[in-house]
Amino acid sequence: MGCRTKTYLQGKYIEMKIGRNDPCWCGSQIKYKKCHEAFDEKLGILKGQGRQVPGHNMIKTPPQIEKIKESAKINMAVLDKLEEMVCEGMPTSDIDRIVYEETTRMGGIPAPLNYEGYPKSVCTSINEQVCHGIPSENVILKSGDIVNIDCSTNLNGYFSDSSRMFMIGEVSEEKRRLVEVTRECVRKGYEAIKLWGFLGDVGAAVHDHAFANGYTVVKEIGGHGVGLEFHEEPWVGYNTKPGTKMVLAPGLMFTIEPMVNMGDSKIYIDEENDWTAITEDGLPSAQWEIQVLVTENGAEMICW
Ligand code: MF3
Ligand code: CO
């Protein structure tokens, strides 16, 4: 018995057959039969039952996880710094500068910078902006604004990604509640992660909590696998049904980052920059993002 696996060798993915006594494909240096053989058999059975299962390229190994955590430390430190500094009257270009300076000072690179042509180091999305707001010296934070600041770090090729909401000055009770409930949605999604459960369980938990509070969840934009690339498979939607989508195998890493709207879920993309998503009805939207790992015990938060 053995397994066909894709191994990254000399810059290419090569399909190889592993024997039971060969070193495991995960790089643990342990024999395959004592490492991921049972894992592969389990995924093989689930696949045979018509389930979506992750490929080996989506499964993070312990050394990779350590490196990703180093990247996450920087990402969280940058967001912590912003919590001290962001205030009324600040242009969002200052947020961009702080993110660039802090990230590079700690040895990382802001992952958004030049990503698919994105021009800045961070996304700053205010009020009805759903995500991918572009920092600008012409956009000044004012009292009553709710702002999502989305930071992502590349440290030596290992990626972390998280975002938080910032409330500027006096924020209305209505908007505060949106921000709070969105944070609870992420927490509920996290708690829905069960080993050998399904990604659809996470989206269902997020959606149900938003819906119970009278909100909607954006459909077109979702979370993603992350760690060895900024954006990897799987795509993570938050309008899903329990027991559907990808099997939650240990080593799978992805973001939970729902965009929750006060009004309708419909959005459009700003034609002026081709990036920023905005609610169609002009009502506010909130988002929090965490990066999580599926483990033998359930889940671990890697970046928040
Ligand atoms: N940080 C965003 C996310 O959570 C992605 C932004 S892509 C960018 O996935 F290019 F706009 F930065
Ligand atoms: Co993300």
Side-chain angles (χ1 to χ4, degrees), residues 150 161 222-224 230-231 255 257 289:
D150 191 337
D161 189 5
H224 50 93
F230 187 4
H231 294 116
T255 66
E257 52 173 314
E289 174 177 23

Side-chain angles (χ1 to χ4, degrees), residues 20-36:
R20 298 192 67 221
N21 289 312
D22 289 341
C24 187
W25 52 260
C26 80
S28 63
Q29 322 247 359
I30 300 170
K31 286 184 180 174
Y32 177 55
K33 65 183 179 192
K34 295 222 159 151
C35 197
H36 274 93

Side-chain angles (χ1 to χ4, degrees), residues 121-135:
S121 296
V122 62
C123 299
T124 50
S125 308
I126 306 176
N127 300 332
E128 71 281 1
Q129 292 181 336
V130 166
C131 65
H132 304 162
I134 302 180

